[in-house]
Amino acid sequence: MLTVALPKGELLKNSIRLFQSVGLDFSAFLDSGTRQLQILDASGQAKGLLVRGQDVPVYVEYGQAQLGIIGYDVLREKKPQVAHLVDLQFGYCRMSVAVKASSAYKSPLDLPPHGRVASKYVNCAREYFHSLDLPIEIVPLSGSVELGPITGMSEAIVDIVSTGRTLRENGLIEITTLYESTARLIGHPLSYRLNTGNMHQFVEKMRQEAALTAV
Ligand code: PRP
């Protein structure tokens, strides 16, 4: 049987809608009355696992799920050994460097050598500043990174920007974008080769759905 890993949070509703469009119904995960983390889809063809976004590639790498949906940002940060199957065209956001709006930094190159940058995406941040040949100290955080510059702990942050509201309401501005991100369908490479749970037909349908969205 096919098992899919679905991400909690921002991407969940669209992920469930996409699976519904290919005949797999995991909408029970949206039912606030349940705390179940594993469910069978309504047609009995597949099992759904509800996991944190960062953990989706872990279940797919270990082969506990043959398919998963995750943001490109997580793929860039974690570099998991999974097959990148489809750009799903939803969940748009970007990875940016931001600073206090009142600061004098207009570009990342204005940041002081050995200055501090707070981030949940330490690998992306490190790679980016390395590519600029700018030595900085990464301060790893797991959330509310905007507080880094606000409290004076760091000069800048590297973080996801979606609507831009969090930056705005905390007096921060973007000074550059590292890359743009959308939701991606990933697969367990061996299962994909073996077409476990008839996964090719679902992947193909999702590819068609995504192409329609892109138009
Ligand atoms: C993410 C991100 C920003 C915010 C951006 O945080 O880290 O803080 O969303 O969204 P916006 O541009 O639409 O305002 P998340 O909601 O995951 O919370 P966290 O900081 O606790 O991780």
Side-chain angles (χ1 to χ4, degrees), residues 134-184:
L134 185 65
I136 47 117
E137 182 187 334
I138 308 284
V139 182
L141 291 175
S142 20
S144 303
V145 293
E146 295 80 7
L147 286 171
I150 291 174
T151 59
M153 180 169 68
S154 69
E155 276 79 26
I157 61 172
V158 167
D159 200 19
I160 286 296
V161 181
S162 177
T163 61
R165 187 173 165 199
T166 310
L167 290 184
R168 247 187 337 270
E169 294 193 5
N170 288 287
L172 305 185
I173 49 160
E174 290 172 90
I175 53 171
T176 199
T177 297
L178 277 56
Y179 58 82
E180 299 186 326
S181 172
T182 46
R184 305 294 164 97

Side-chain angles (χ1 to χ4, degrees), residues 45 60 99 103 122 136 155 175 202 214-215:
Q45 296 178 84
V60 175
V99 296
S103 88
V122 292
I136 47 117
E155 276 79 26
I175 53 171
F202 294 112
V215 171

Side-chain angles (χ1 to χ4, degrees), residues 117-132:
V117 175
S119 190
K120 292 186 276 192
Y121 296 84
V122 292
N123 295 326
C124 291
R126 192 171 292 120
E127 274 170 27
Y128 175 69
F129 284 99
H130 184 72
S131 76
L132 295 183

Side-chain angles (χ1 to χ4, degrees), residues 85-134:
L85 299 174
V86 185
D87 180 343
L88 298 171
Q89 309 286 341
F90 62 79
Y92 170 83
C93 56
R94 52 193 183 270
M95 186 67 71
S96 294
V97 179
V99 296
K100 273 168 91 165
S102 58
S103 88
Y105 310 124
K106 303 293 176 218
S107 131
L109 289 169
D110 295 336
L111 292 169
H114 306 291
R116 297 196 197 116
V117 175
S119 190
K120 292 186 276 192
Y121 296 84
V122 292
N123 295 326
C124 291
R126 192 171 292 120
E127 274 170 27
Y128 175 69
F129 284 99
H130 184 72
S131 76
L132 295 183
D133 207 16
L134 185 65

